[in-house]
Amino acid sequence: VQLQASGGGLVQAGGSLRLSCAASGSIVSINAMGWYRQGPGSQRELVAVINRSGSTDYATSVNGRFTISRDNAKNTVYLQMNSLKPEDTAVYYCNLDCTIKPGGVVFRYWGQGTQVTVSS
């Protein structure tokens, strides 16, 4: 299973970016897909997650500004980021919880990370 993230870049404060992450490989069933981020000198933290039923959850710091969505047919998850702030600057990683065999255990996979830089 591989995850390919894209969409990062440099944006001014108040601007928007949309991240995408496409999953490929022998995926049988997806439990959840999500986005994490790791800023300079910080630990990796959860940004947003969307589960199989479409339920979502967000970090308090991004609630109301970021929106996670997924295209099940494409095994792709998106993160629409609006009203960006300098403190949103980080490397953003997508992740996937899925099974690769019917009735198998759930594995977690990570994308390669995409840099988001918000200038003040």
Side-chain angles (χ1 to χ4, degrees), residues 32-57:
M33 300 185 78
W35 291 93
Y36 285 69
R37 68 185 180 187
Q38 187 167 14
S42 301
Q43 291 186 334
R44 191 174 296 189
E45 62 177 0
L46 174 68
V47 176
V49 63
I50 184 167
N51 67 16
R52 185 198 333 237
S53 66
S55 296
T56 59
D57 196 14

mmCIF file with all atom_site columns, all heavy atoms in Angstrom, residues 32-57:
data_model
loop_
_atom_site.group_PDB
_atom_site.id
_atom_site.type_symbol
_atom_site.label_atom_id
_atom_site.label_alt_id
_atom_site.label_comp_id
_atom_site.label_asym_id
_atom_site.label_entity_id
_atom_site.label_seq_id
_atom_site.pdbx_PDB_ins_code
_atom_site.Cartn_x
_atom_site.Cartn_y
_atom_site.Cartn_z
_atom_site.occupancy
_atom_site.B_iso_or_equiv
_atom_site.pdbx_formal_charge
_atom_site.auth_seq_id
_atom_site.auth_comp_id
_atom_site.auth_asym_id
_atom_site.auth_atom_id
_atom_site.pdbx_PDB_model_num
ATOM 1   N N   . ALA A 1 32 ? -10.259 4.219  8.131  1.00 0.00 ? 32 ALA A N   1
ATOM 2   C CA  . ALA A 1 32 ? -10.181 5.665  8.320  1.00 0.00 ? 32 ALA A CA  1
ATOM 3   C C   . ALA A 1 32 ? -9.006  6.225  7.539  1.00 0.00 ? 32 ALA A C   1
ATOM 4   O O   . ALA A 1 32 ? -8.033  5.525  7.258  1.00 0.00 ? 32 ALA A O   1
ATOM 5   C CB  . ALA A 1 32 ? -10.031 6.013  9.799  1.00 0.00 ? 32 ALA A CB  1
ATOM 6   N N   . MET A 1 33 ? -9.128  7.491  7.207  1.00 0.00 ? 33 MET A N   1
ATOM 7   C CA  . MET A 1 33 ? -8.023  8.233  6.605  1.00 0.00 ? 33 MET A CA  1
ATOM 8   C C   . MET A 1 33 ? -7.904  9.551  7.345  1.00 0.00 ? 33 MET A C   1
ATOM 9   O O   . MET A 1 33 ? -8.912  10.091 7.832  1.00 0.00 ? 33 MET A O   1
ATOM 10  C CB  . MET A 1 33 ? -8.258  8.473  5.114  1.00 0.00 ? 33 MET A CB  1
ATOM 11  C CG  . MET A 1 33 ? -8.405  7.208  4.302  1.00 0.00 ? 33 MET A CG  1
ATOM 12  S SD  . MET A 1 33 ? -8.536  7.501  2.521  1.00 0.00 ? 33 MET A SD  1
ATOM 13  C CE  . MET A 1 33 ? -6.800  7.813  2.104  1.00 0.00 ? 33 MET A CE  1
ATOM 14  N N   . GLY A 1 34 ? -6.698  10.043 7.437  1.00 0.00 ? 34 GLY A N   1
ATOM 15  C CA  . GLY A 1 34 ? -6.532  11.265 8.202  1.00 0.00 ? 34 GLY A CA  1
ATOM 16  C C   . GLY A 1 34 ? -5.302  12.050 7.823  1.00 0.00 ? 34 GLY A C   1
ATOM 17  O O   . GLY A 1 34 ? -4.519  11.639 6.962  1.00 0.00 ? 34 GLY A O   1
ATOM 18  N N   . TRP A 1 35 ? -5.167  13.188 8.474  1.00 0.00 ? 35 TRP A N   1
ATOM 19  C CA  . TRP A 1 35 ? -4.025  14.074 8.290  1.00 0.00 ? 35 TRP A CA  1
ATOM 20  C C   . TRP A 1 35 ? -3.411  14.395 9.649  1.00 0.00 ? 35 TRP A C   1
ATOM 21  O O   . TRP A 1 35 ? -4.138  14.689 10.607 1.00 0.00 ? 35 TRP A O   1
ATOM 22  C CB  . TRP A 1 35 ? -4.440  15.365 7.606  1.00 0.00 ? 35 TRP A CB  1
ATOM 23  C CG  . TRP A 1 35 ? -4.839  15.200 6.178  1.00 0.00 ? 35 TRP A CG  1
ATOM 24  C CD1 . TRP A 1 35 ? -6.102  14.995 5.694  1.00 0.00 ? 35 TRP A CD1 1
ATOM 25  C CD2 . TRP A 1 35 ? -3.958  15.201 5.047  1.00 0.00 ? 35 TRP A CD2 1
ATOM 26  N NE1 . TRP A 1 35 ? -6.066  14.863 4.334  1.00 0.00 ? 35 TRP A NE1 1
ATOM 27  C CE2 . TRP A 1 35 ? -4.757  14.987 3.899  1.00 0.00 ? 35 TRP A CE2 1
ATOM 28  C CE3 . TRP A 1 35 ? -2.588  15.350 4.875  1.00 0.00 ? 35 TRP A CE3 1
ATOM 29  C CZ2 . TRP A 1 35 ? -4.226  14.937 2.619  1.00 0.00 ? 35 TRP A CZ2 1
ATOM 30  C CZ3 . TRP A 1 35 ? -2.055  15.301 3.608  1.00 0.00 ? 35 TRP A CZ3 1
ATOM 31  C CH2 . TRP A 1 35 ? -2.870  15.093 2.492  1.00 0.00 ? 35 TRP A CH2 1
ATOM 32  N N   . TYR A 1 36 ? -2.109  14.325 9.704  1.00 0.00 ? 36 TYR A N   1
ATOM 33  C CA  . TYR A 1 36 ? -1.335  14.736 10.865 1.00 0.00 ? 36 TYR A CA  1
ATOM 34  C C   . TYR A 1 36 ? -0.370  15.826 10.390 1.00 0.00 ? 36 TYR A C   1
ATOM 35  O O   . TYR A 1 36 ? -0.156  15.994 9.187  1.00 0.00 ? 36 TYR A O   1
ATOM 36  C CB  . TYR A 1 36 ? -0.537  13.568 11.439 1.00 0.00 ? 36 TYR A CB  1
ATOM 37  C CG  . TYR A 1 36 ? -1.352  12.564 12.215 1.00 0.00 ? 36 TYR A CG  1
ATOM 38  C CD1 . TYR A 1 36 ? -2.275  11.738 11.576 1.00 0.00 ? 36 TYR A CD1 1
ATOM 39  C CD2 . TYR A 1 36 ? -1.198  12.419 13.590 1.00 0.00 ? 36 TYR A CD2 1
ATOM 40  C CE1 . TYR A 1 36 ? -3.030  10.809 12.288 1.00 0.00 ? 36 TYR A CE1 1
ATOM 41  C CE2 . TYR A 1 36 ? -1.933  11.494 14.313 1.00 0.00 ? 36 TYR A CE2 1
ATOM 42  C CZ  . TYR A 1 36 ? -2.840  10.690 13.654 1.00 0.00 ? 36 TYR A CZ  1
ATOM 43  O OH  . TYR A 1 36 ? -3.576  9.779  14.358 1.00 0.00 ? 36 TYR A OH  1
ATOM 44  N N   . ARG A 1 37 ? 0.203   16.530 11.345 1.00 0.00 ? 37 ARG A N   1
ATOM 45  C CA  . ARG A 1 37 ? 1.221   17.510 10.985 1.00 0.00 ? 37 ARG A CA  1
ATOM 46  C C   . ARG A 1 37 ? 2.299   17.552 12.061 1.00 0.00 ? 37 ARG A C   1
ATOM 47  O O   . ARG A 1 37 ? 2.064   17.202 13.218 1.00 0.00 ? 37 ARG A O   1
ATOM 48  C CB  . ARG A 1 37 ? 0.612   18.896 10.786 1.00 0.00 ? 37 ARG A CB  1
ATOM 49  C CG  . ARG A 1 37 ? 0.067   19.543 12.045 1.00 0.00 ? 37 ARG A CG  1
ATOM 50  C CD  . ARG A 1 37 ? -0.611  20.865 11.693 1.00 0.00 ? 37 ARG A CD  1
ATOM 51  N NE  . ARG A 1 37 ? -1.139  21.523 12.885 1.00 0.00 ? 37 ARG A NE  1
ATOM 52  C CZ  . ARG A 1 37 ? -1.889  22.615 12.849 1.00 0.00 ? 37 ARG A CZ  1
ATOM 53  N NH1 . ARG A 1 37 ? -2.205  23.193 11.681 1.00 0.00 ? 37 ARG A NH1 1
ATOM 54  N NH2 . ARG A 1 37 ? -2.315  23.166 13.978 1.00 0.00 ? 37 ARG A NH2 1
ATOM 55  N N   . GLN A 1 38 ? 3.473   17.984 11.617 1.00 0.00 ? 38 GLN A N   1
ATOM 56  C CA  . GLN A 1 38 ? 4.596   18.125 12.545 1.00 0.00 ? 38 GLN A CA  1
ATOM 57  C C   . GLN A 1 38 ? 5.296   19.423 12.223 1.00 0.00 ? 38 GLN A C   1
ATOM 58  O O   . GLN A 1 38 ? 5.907   19.579 11.155 1.00 0.00 ? 38 GLN A O   1
ATOM 59  C CB  . GLN A 1 38 ? 5.556   16.942 12.423 1.00 0.00 ? 38 GLN A CB  1
ATOM 60  C CG  . GLN A 1 38 ? 6.646   16.941 13.460 1.00 0.00 ? 38 GLN A CG  1
ATOM 61  C CD  . GLN A 1 38 ? 7.385   15.617 13.529 1.00 0.00 ? 38 GLN A CD  1
ATOM 62  O OE1 . GLN A 1 38 ? 7.269   14.767 12.636 1.00 0.00 ? 38 GLN A OE1 1
ATOM 63  N NE2 . GLN A 1 38 ? 8.138   15.407 14.594 1.00 0.00 ? 38 GLN A NE2 1
ATOM 64  N N   . GLY A 1 39 ? 5.190   20.362 13.170 1.00 0.00 ? 39 GLY A N   1
ATOM 65  C CA  . GLY A 1 39 ? 5.849   21.644 13.014 1.00 0.00 ? 39 GLY A CA  1
ATOM 66  C C   . GLY A 1 39 ? 7.277   21.593 13.523 1.00 0.00 ? 39 GLY A C   1
ATOM 67  O O   . GLY A 1 39 ? 7.677   20.627 14.169 1.00 0.00 ? 39 GLY A O   1
ATOM 68  N N   . PRO A 1 40 ? 8.044   22.648 13.258 1.00 0.00 ? 40 PRO A N   1
ATOM 69  C CA  . PRO A 1 40 ? 9.437   22.689 13.718 1.00 0.00 ? 40 PRO A CA  1
ATOM 70  C C   . PRO A 1 40 ? 9.533   22.528 15.229 1.00 0.00 ? 40 PRO A C   1
ATOM 71  O O   . PRO A 1 40 ? 8.898   23.273 15.969 1.00 0.00 ? 40 PRO A O   1
ATOM 72  C CB  . PRO A 1 40 ? 9.901   24.084 13.266 1.00 0.00 ? 40 PRO A CB  1
ATOM 73  C CG  . PRO A 1 40 ? 8.966   24.477 12.177 1.00 0.00 ? 40 PRO A CG  1
ATOM 74  C CD  . PRO A 1 40 ? 7.646   23.854 12.521 1.00 0.00 ? 40 PRO A CD  1
ATOM 75  N N   . GLY A 1 41 ? 10.300  21.551 15.670 1.00 0.00 ? 41 GLY A N   1
ATOM 76  C CA  . GLY A 1 41 ? 10.503  21.332 17.092 1.00 0.00 ? 41 GLY A CA  1
ATOM 77  C C   . GLY A 1 41 ? 9.293   20.784 17.821 1.00 0.00 ? 41 GLY A C   1
ATOM 78  O O   . GLY A 1 41 ? 9.259   20.792 19.053 1.00 0.00 ? 41 GLY A O   1
ATOM 79  N N   . SER A 1 42 ? 8.308   20.287 17.072 1.00 0.00 ? 42 SER A N   1
ATOM 80  C CA  . SER A 1 42 ? 7.089   19.798 17.701 1.00 0.00 ? 42 SER A CA  1
ATOM 81  C C   . SER A 1 42 ? 6.881   18.325 17.399 1.00 0.00 ? 42 SER A C   1
ATOM 82  O O   . SER A 1 42 ? 7.468   17.786 16.461 1.00 0.00 ? 42 SER A O   1
ATOM 83  C CB  . SER A 1 42 ? 5.877   20.591 17.205 1.00 0.00 ? 42 SER A CB  1
ATOM 84  O OG  . SER A 1 42 ? 6.007   21.957 17.483 1.00 0.00 ? 42 SER A OG  1
ATOM 85  N N   . GLN A 1 43 ? 6.030   17.708 18.175 1.00 0.00 ? 43 GLN A N   1
ATOM 86  C CA  . GLN A 1 43 ? 5.656   16.328 17.906 1.00 0.00 ? 43 GLN A CA  1
ATOM 87  C C   . GLN A 1 43 ? 4.559   16.287 16.849 1.00 0.00 ? 43 GLN A C   1
ATOM 88  O O   . GLN A 1 43 ? 3.831   17.259 16.643 1.00 0.00 ? 43 GLN A O   1
ATOM 89  C CB  . GLN A 1 43 ? 5.170   15.654 19.193 1.00 0.00 ? 43 GLN A CB  1
ATOM 90  C CG  . GLN A 1 43 ? 6.259   15.432 20.226 1.00 0.00 ? 43 GLN A CG  1
ATOM 91  C CD  . GLN A 1 43 ? 5.759   14.637 21.421 1.00 0.00 ? 43 GLN A CD  1
ATOM 92  O OE1 . GLN A 1 43 ? 4.575   14.645 21.739 1.00 0.00 ? 43 GLN A OE1 1
ATOM 93  N NE2 . GLN A 1 43 ? 6.662   13.940 22.085 1.00 0.00 ? 43 GLN A NE2 1
ATOM 94  N N   . ARG A 1 44 ? 4.454   15.155 16.193 1.00 0.00 ? 44 ARG A N   1
ATOM 95  C CA  . ARG A 1 44 ? 3.402   14.976 15.209 1.00 0.00 ? 44 ARG A CA  1
ATOM 96  C C   . ARG A 1 44 ? 2.056   14.983 15.920 1.00 0.00 ? 44 ARG A C   1
ATOM 97  O O   . ARG A 1 44 ? 1.883   14.334 16.961 1.00 0.00 ? 44 ARG A O   1
ATOM 98  C CB  . ARG A 1 44 ? 3.597   13.666 14.444 1.00 0.00 ? 44 ARG A CB  1
ATOM 99  C CG  . ARG A 1 44 ? 2.698   13.515 13.229 1.00 0.00 ? 44 ARG A CG  1
ATOM 100 C CD  . ARG A 1 44 ? 3.029   12.281 12.432 1.00 0.00 ? 44 ARG A CD  1
ATOM 101 N NE  . ARG A 1 44 ? 4.379   12.337 11.865 1.00 0.00 ? 44 ARG A NE  1
ATOM 102 C CZ  . ARG A 1 44 ? 4.837   11.449 10.988 1.00 0.00 ? 44 ARG A CZ  1
ATOM 103 N NH1 . ARG A 1 44 ? 4.062   10.448 10.580 1.00 0.00 ? 44 ARG A NH1 1
ATOM 104 N NH2 . ARG A 1 44 ? 6.074   11.553 10.543 1.00 0.00 ? 44 ARG A NH2 1
ATOM 105 N N   . GLU A 1 45 ? 1.091   15.724 15.369 1.00 0.00 ? 45 GLU A N   1
ATOM 106 C CA  . GLU A 1 45 ? -0.221  15.831 15.991 1.00 0.00 ? 45 GLU A CA  1
ATOM 107 C C   . GLU A 1 45 ? -1.321  15.577 14.965 1.00 0.00 ? 45 GLU A C   1
ATOM 108 O O   . GLU A 1 45 ? -1.158  15.845 13.776 1.00 0.00 ? 45 GLU A O   1
ATOM 109 C CB  . GLU A 1 45 ? -0.417  17.234 16.595 1.00 0.00 ? 45 GLU A CB  1
ATOM 110 C CG  . GLU A 1 45 ? -0.379  18.365 15.589 1.00 0.00 ? 45 GLU A CG  1
ATOM 111 C CD  . GLU A 1 45 ? -0.658  19.723 16.204 1.00 0.00 ? 45 GLU A CD  1
ATOM 112 O OE1 . GLU A 1 45 ? -0.883  19.807 17.425 1.00 0.00 ? 45 GLU A OE1 1
ATOM 113 O OE2 . GLU A 1 45 ? -0.674  20.721 15.447 1.00 0.00 ? 45 GLU A OE2 1
ATOM 114 N N   . LEU A 1 46 ? -2.428  15.074 15.470 1.00 0.00 ? 46 LEU A N   1
ATOM 115 C CA  . LEU A 1 46 ? -3.577  14.831 14.614 1.00 0.00 ? 46 LEU A CA  1
ATOM 116 C C   . LEU A 1 46 ? -4.197  16.156 14.193 1.00 0.00 ? 46 LEU A C   1
ATOM 117 O O   . LEU A 1 46 ? -4.408  17.051 15.026 1.00 0.00 ? 46 LEU A O   1
ATOM 118 C CB  . LEU A 1 46 ? -4.611  13.978 15.350 1.00 0.00 ? 46 LEU A CB  1
ATOM 119 C CG  . LEU A 1 46 ? -5.939  13.763 14.634 1.00 0.00 ? 46 LEU A CG  1
ATOM 120 C CD1 . LEU A 1 46 ? -5.746  12.898 13.398 1.00 0.00 ? 46 LEU A CD1 1
ATOM 121 C CD2 . LEU A 1 46 ? -6.960  13.131 15.573 1.00 0.00 ? 46 LEU A CD2 1
ATOM 122 N N   . VAL A 1 47 ? -4.520  16.270 12.906 1.00 0.00 ? 47 VAL A N   1
ATOM 123 C CA  . VAL A 1 47 ? -5.210  17.443 12.386 1.00 0.00 ? 47 VAL A CA  1
ATOM 124 C C   . VAL A 1 47 ? -6.685  17.118 12.154 1.00 0.00 ? 47 VAL A C   1
ATOM 125 O O   . VAL A 1 47 ? -7.570  17.825 12.627 1.00 0.00 ? 47 VAL A O   1
ATOM 126 C CB  . VAL A 1 47 ? -4.572  17.926 11.074 1.00 0.00 ? 47 VAL A CB  1
ATOM 127 C CG1 . VAL A 1 47 ? -5.363  19.090 10.493 1.00 0.00 ? 47 VAL A CG1 1
ATOM 128 C CG2 . VAL A 1 47 ? -3.115  18.312 11.295 1.00 0.00 ? 47 VAL A CG2 1
ATOM 129 N N   . ALA A 1 48 ? -6.934  16.046 11.408 1.00 0.00 ? 48 ALA A N   1
ATOM 130 C CA  . ALA A 1 48 ? -8.311  15.679 11.084 1.00 0.00 ? 48 ALA A CA  1
ATOM 131 C C   . ALA A 1 48 ? -8.350  14.223 10.662 1.00 0.00 ? 48 ALA A C   1
ATOM 132 O O   . ALA A 1 48 ? -7.365  13.691 10.147 1.00 0.00 ? 48 ALA A O   1
ATOM 133 C CB  . ALA A 1 48 ? -8.860  16.561 9.960  1.00 0.00 ? 48 ALA A CB  1
ATOM 134 N N   . VAL A 1 49 ? -9.491  13.602 10.878 1.00 0.00 ? 49 VAL A N   1
ATOM 135 C CA  . VAL A 1 49 ? -9.674  12.206 10.495 1.00 0.00 ? 49 VAL A CA  1
ATOM 136 C C   . VAL A 1 49 ? -11.097 12.007 10.005 1.00 0.00 ? 49 VAL A C   1
ATOM 137 O O   . VAL A 1 49 ? -12.020 12.688 10.468 1.00 0.00 ? 49 VAL A O   1
ATOM 138 C CB  . VAL A 1 49 ? -9.352  11.262 11.683 1.00 0.00 ? 49 VAL A CB  1
ATOM 139 C CG1 . VAL A 1 49 ? -10.314 11.497 12.831 1.00 0.00 ? 49 VAL A CG1 1
ATOM 140 C CG2 . VAL A 1 49 ? -9.364  9.813  11.247 1.00 0.00 ? 49 VAL A CG2 1
ATOM 141 N N   . ILE A 1 50 ? -11.247 11.100 9.043  1.00 0.00 ? 50 ILE A N   1
ATOM 142 C CA  . ILE A 1 50 ? -12.572 10.747 8.533  1.00 0.00 ? 50 ILE A CA  1
ATOM 143 C C   . ILE A 1 50 ? -12.661 9.227  8.504  1.00 0.00 ? 50 ILE A C   1
ATOM 144 O O   . ILE A 1 50 ? -11.774 8.553  7.991  1.00 0.00 ? 50 ILE A O   1
ATOM 145 C CB  . ILE A 1 50 ? -12.824 11.375 7.147  1.00 0.00 ? 50 ILE A CB  1
ATOM 146 C CG1 . ILE A 1 50 ? -14.243 11.070 6.667  1.00 0.00 ? 50 ILE A CG1 1
ATOM 147 C CG2 . ILE A 1 50 ? -11.781 10.967 6.126  1.00 0.00 ? 50 ILE A CG2 1
ATOM 148 C CD1 . ILE A 1 50 ? -14.666 11.918 5.470  1.00 0.00 ? 50 ILE A CD1 1
ATOM 149 N N   . ASN A 1 51 ? -13.729 8.682  9.059  1.00 0.00 ? 51 ASN A N   1
ATOM 150 C CA  . ASN A 1 51 ? -13.814 7.231  9.135  1.00 0.00 ? 51 ASN A CA  1
ATOM 151 C C   . ASN A 1 51 ? -14.668 6.668  8.014  1.00 0.00 ? 51 ASN A C   1
ATOM 152 O O   . ASN A 1 51 ? -15.112 7.380  7.116  1.00 0.00 ? 51 ASN A O   1
ATOM 153 C CB  . ASN A 1 51 ? -14.322 6.781  10.505 1.00 0.00 ? 51 ASN A CB  1
ATOM 154 C CG  . ASN A 1 51 ? -15.770 7.171  10.751 1.00 0.00 ? 51 ASN A CG  1
ATOM 155 O OD1 . ASN A 1 51 ? -16.496 7.521  9.826  1.00 0.00 ? 51 ASN A OD1 1
ATOM 156 N ND2 . ASN A 1 51 ? -16.188 7.101  12.004 1.00 0.00 ? 51 ASN A ND2 1
ATOM 157 N N   . ARG A 1 52 ? -14.880 5.354  8.092  1.00 0.00 ? 52 ARG A N   1
ATOM 158 C CA  . ARG A 1 52 ? -15.546 4.644  7.004  1.00 0.00 ? 52 ARG A CA  1
ATOM 159 C C   . ARG A 1 52 ? -16.936 5.193  6.714  1.00 0.00 ? 52 ARG A C   1
ATOM 160 O O   . ARG A 1 52 ? -17.360 5.252  5.570  1.00 0.00 ? 52 ARG A O   1
ATOM 161 C CB  . ARG A 1 52 ? -15.628 3.170  7.379  1.00 0.00 ? 52 ARG A CB  1
ATOM 162 C CG  . ARG A 1 52 ? -16.197 2.275  6.295  1.00 0.00 ? 52 ARG A CG  1
ATOM 163 C CD  . ARG A 1 52 ? -16.667 0.923  6.827  1.00 0.00 ? 52 ARG A CD  1
ATOM 164 N NE  . ARG A 1 52 ? -15.987 0.493  8.007  1.00 0.00 ? 52 ARG A NE  1
ATOM 165 C CZ  . ARG A 1 52 ? -15.336 -0.666 8.105  1.00 0.00 ? 52 ARG A CZ  1
ATOM 166 N NH1 . ARG A 1 52 ? -15.221 -1.450 7.074  1.00 0.00 ? 52 ARG A NH1 1
ATOM 167 N NH2 . ARG A 1 52 ? -14.776 -1.025 9.232  1.00 0.00 ? 52 ARG A NH2 1
ATOM 168 N N   . SER A 1 53 ? -17.623 5.618  7.768  1.00 0.00 ? 53 SER A N   1
ATOM 169 C CA  . SER A 1 53 ? -18.993 6.100  7.601  1.00 0.00 ? 53 SER A CA  1
ATOM 170 C C   . SER A 1 53 ? -19.057 7.564  7.193  1.00 0.00 ? 53 SER A C   1
ATOM 171 O O   . SER A 1 53 ? -20.145 8.083  6.933  1.00 0.00 ? 53 SER A O   1
ATOM 172 C CB  . SER A 1 53 ? -19.768 5.906  8.907  1.00 0.00 ? 53 SER A CB  1
ATOM 173 O OG  . SER A 1 53 ? -19.235 6.732  9.919  1.00 0.00 ? 53 SER A OG  1
ATOM 174 N N   . GLY A 1 54 ? -17.911 8.215  7.183  1.00 0.00 ? 54 GLY A N   1
ATOM 175 C CA  . GLY A 1 54 ? -17.885 9.631  6.823  1.00 0.00 ? 54 GLY A CA  1
ATOM 176 C C   . GLY A 1 54 ? -17.855 10.572 8.007  1.00 0.00 ? 54 GLY A C   1
ATOM 177 O O   . GLY A 1 54 ? -17.806 11.792 7.827  1.00 0.00 ? 54 GLY A O   1
ATOM 178 N N   . SER A 1 55 ? -17.863 10.035 9.201  1.00 0.00 ? 55 SER A N   1
ATOM 179 C CA  . SER A 1 55 ? -17.764 10.875 10.393 1.00 0.00 ? 55 SER A CA  1
ATOM 180 C C   . SER A 1 55 ? -16.378 11.488 10.467 1.00 0.00 ? 55 SER A C   1
ATOM 181 O O   . SER A 1 55 ? -15.375 10.850 10.123 1.00 0.00 ? 55 SER A O   1
ATOM 182 C CB  . SER A 1 55 ? -18.036 10.055 11.653 1.00 0.00 ? 55 SER A CB  1
ATOM 183 O OG  . SER A 1 55 ? -19.364 9.580  11.656 1.00 0.00 ? 55 SER A OG  1
ATOM 184 N N   . THR A 1 56 ? -16.341 12.724 10.930 1.00 0.00 ? 56 THR A N   1
ATOM 185 C CA  . THR A 1 56 ? -15.071 13.457 10.968 1.00 0.00 ? 56 THR A CA  1
ATOM 186 C C   . THR A 1 56 ? -14.753 13.945 12.377 1.00 0.00 ? 56 THR A C   1
ATOM 187 O O   . THR A 1 56 ? -15.644 14.095 13.221 1.00 0.00 ? 56 THR A O   1
ATOM 188 C CB  . THR A 1 56 ? -15.107 14.663 10.021 1.00 0.00 ? 56 THR A CB  1
ATOM 189 O OG1 . THR A 1 56 ? -16.185 15.528 10.403 1.00 0.00 ? 56 THR A OG1 1
ATOM 190 C CG2 . THR A 1 56 ? -15.315 14.228 8.583  1.00 0.00 ? 56 THR A CG2 1
ATOM 191 N N   . ASP A 1 57 ? -13.485 14.201 12.593 1.00 0.00 ? 57 ASP A N   1
ATOM 192 C CA  . ASP A 1 57 ? -13.038 14.762 13.855 1.00 0.00 ? 57 ASP A CA  1
ATOM 193 C C   . ASP A 1 57 ? -11.859 15.668 13.556 1.00 0.00 ? 57 ASP A C   1
ATOM 194 O O   . ASP A 1 57 ? -11.048 15.365 12.667 1.00 0.00 ? 57 ASP A O   1
ATOM 195 C CB  . ASP A 1 57 ? -12.633 13.661 14.826 1.00 0.00 ? 57 ASP A CB  1
ATOM 196 C CG  . ASP A 1 57 ? -12.546 14.168 16.260 1.00 0.00 ? 57 ASP A CG  1
ATOM 197 O OD1 . ASP A 1 57 ? -13.048 15.271 16.542 1.00 0.00 ? 57 ASP A OD1 1
ATOM 198 O OD2 . ASP A 1 57 ? -11.959 13.463 17.096 1.00 0.00 ? 57 ASP A OD2 1
#
